[in-house]
Amino acid sequence: MKSVVVVGAQWGDEGKGKVVDYLSGSFDYIARVAGGHNAGHTVIIGKDRFVLQLIPCGILRPQRHAVIGTGVVVDPAALVAEMETLANAGVDVNGRLHISNRAHLIFPYHRELDKAAEIARGANKIGTTSRGIGPAYEDKMARRGLRVCDLLEPELFRKKAAQVVAEKNRLAKGAYGADIDFSHEVEETLKLGEKIRGYICDTAELVNGALDEGKSVLFEGAQGTMLDIDHGTYPFVTSSSATSGGAATGVGVPPTKIRHVLGVSKAYTTRVGGGPFPTEMPDLDAKEVRDRGNEFGAVTGRPRRCGWLDLQVLRYAKMINGIDSLVITKLDVFDTQREIQVCVGYKYKGKALKEMPALAEQYEHVTPEYKTLPGWCVPTYGAKDGERLPKAALEYLGFISDFLQVEIGMISTGPDRDATIVAAGTLLSKWL
């Protein structure tokens, strides 16, 4: 496949970083399409652990190009810090990192306003990471945002920034009672801009040109389908498009150039922050899964809410994204589970629900319907060959594949790069 989109099929944190890292060795370009530095993609290579927040993890592969697309919001301080961390680890990004000149910028005032807005919501907190992502996208849509290309013209940038900063100072004081002066941020941002100047380009021209030349591109999404601004559990969502459609707008390629959509799902479900979660486990069960799966945010360290696998969510994600191959991660977390519950549908006020609720409040009245499957109580951690998987684990995977009518193309059995079973869809019938 010359062009593949990797999307999260749940509420994010599905293990996309490892999947993209594993696949990136077979692609020329790896392009990040949305989100900001609130999304941490963890990659473990031997004894080295990398947490990449903005730069696509394909940068860890020699001779591969990493693209930060137009749909990403870029915090210059976070980006420069990440570049320096990679340099200290011996990863050279020169000539391989490309930053869209049309991507919007995150400023410190975005972070401060993000925190203030979250506090003001009180009990109705969304669970934002308070890194300024939402306010940056708000400015983008309100047509008052500053972009990466603005950094290339310092005097013009100063004029534009002065107007925006004056507005933010008034907003901070009037709306949140915070007497903050953001003026000093302009020069600090320009200094950071000089450090990334050599990497800025028209990434739409770059990626389309690469595809036209027969090169391959892997599009890397952020967060997950159920956090999509349009199709997720609104308002408990992110501020960008987390579905496969976001790859076209987030980089600037036509949909006709995207050939394959790979969805990533854990063997169970997790969610960070507030919002609906129909299959959430009781505290004791959730703690066991959280501890075994190390379910804590790679960037924030926040504990994730844990629940049973929700096939209603995955069915919806398959439809919205056009998923034609599924990756199941963290299968090994269920190695000690004697019985596994799988949600096969919802009931709403006693009636079967075929569609996903549009209102977040409707989920309060949703009752998940479960099917109980046997666990395997056999270690699968680090398995690289399907022949090592116990029959009950294969049956669990087969049930997911049959229910969704989608192949399982890859299985992850641990955080290491090589703890991966590939071509699983082709071999499942043989193993079973």
Side-chain angles (χ1 to χ4, degrees), residues 75-395:
D75 184 325
L79 177 57
V80 169
E82 196 165 310
M83 291 166 64
E84 290 173 350
T85 298
L86 287 170
N88 291 335
V91 179
D92 185 8
V93 303
N94 290 317
R96 300 196 299 124
L97 175 62
H98 314 278
I99 305 165
S100 171
N101 54 10
R102 290 175 170 81
H104 278 249
L105 296 169
I106 296 176
F107 290 86
Y109 60 67
H110 286 127
R111 294 196 293 272
E112 294 302 321
L113 294 173
D114 202 357
K115 292 175 188 174
E118 186 74 341
I119 291 169
R121 292 185 184 104
N124 296 317
K125 285 182 174 66
I126 291 174
T128 171
T129 58
S130 297
R131 292 177 178 253
I133 311 299
Y137 277 115
E138 286 178 31
D139 281 355
K140 175 180 178 177
M141 292 306 176
R143 293 163 294 182
R144 59 173 174 256
L146 293 166
R147 301 187 296 170
V148 170
C149 57
D150 291 315
L151 295 172
L152 301 177
E153 299 290 342
E155 288 307 314
L156 183 60
F157 178 83
R158 288 186 179 99
K159 290 179 182 178
K160 290 183 178 181
Q163 295 176 351
V164 176
V165 165
E167 178 183 319
K168 299 304 178 185
N169 288 341
R170 293 193 298 270
L171 177 60
K173 189 168 186 178
Y176 305 115
D179 194 5
I180 307 172
D181 184 1
F182 297 117
S183 302
H184 66 281
E185 298 175 3
V186 176
E187 294 304 319
E188 291 174 5
T189 301
L190 279 172
K191 288 179 183 178
L192 291 167
E194 286 303 309
K195 294 184 177 182
I196 64 173
R197 174 181 284 269
Y199 304 94
I200 299 170
C201 68
D202 187 329
T203 53
E205 289 281 356
L206 177 73
V207 173
N208 278 286
L211 287 169
D212 291 342
E213 291 172 7
K215 292 184 170 64
S216 53
V217 180
L218 185 64
F219 298 91
E220 176 182 2
Q223 286 87 36
T225 299
M226 300 305 292
L227 293 178
D228 183 88
I229 185 66
D230 293 305
H231 303 290
T233 48
Y234 188 90
F236 300 95
V237 292
T238 191
S239 302
S240 59
S241 178
T243 57
S244 60
T249 56
V251 174
V253 298
T256 50
K257 285 188 176 179
I258 296 172
R259 305 299 186 203
H260 191 77
V261 180
L262 186 65
V264 185
S265 166
K266 287 175 181 168
Y268 48 97
T269 311
T270 63
R271 175 163 200 165
V272 173
F277 192 0
T279 64
E280 188 166 12
M281 295 172 173
D283 289 345
L284 196 61
D285 292 332
K287 183 181 184 306
E288 183 178 347
V289 170
R290 187 180 302 117
D291 290 345
R292 283 187 56 80
N294 191 28
E295 295 296 351
F296 300 91
V299 174
T300 64
R302 289 189 297 178
R304 297 174 185 141
R305 298 157 65 189
C306 298
W308 301 110
L309 187 65
D310 191 332
L311 294 183
Q312 181 82 339
V313 162
L314 292 187
R315 181 202 64 80
Y316 178 72
K318 177 193 172 188
M319 175 185 72
I320 292 294
N321 292 292
I323 293 172
D324 44 23
S325 186
L326 193 64
V327 178
I328 299 295
T329 64
K330 295 199 171 185
L331 182 71
D332 54 292
V333 174
F334 272 163
D335 284 353
T336 61
Q337 201 76 36
R338 293 189 176 278
E339 288 186 337
I340 300 171
Q341 304 294 319
V342 186
C343 173
V344 294
Y346 293 164
K347 280 193 173 180
Y348 179 69
K349 295 183 177 180
K351 294 183 179 179
L353 192 63
K354 293 184 179 179
E355 300 173 353
M356 294 297 287
L359 284 170
E361 292 82 358
Q362 285 181 302
Y363 284 89
E364 297 174 10
H365 306 285
V366 162
T367 303
E369 293 184 291
Y370 289 107
K371 180 174 179 62
T372 303
L373 297 175
W376 42 92
C377 296
V378 174
T380 64
Y381 183 85
K384 305 172 189 176
D385 185 348
E387 301 289 351
R388 280 192 55 192
L389 295 182
K391 190 171 189 297
L394 294 170
E395 289 174 345

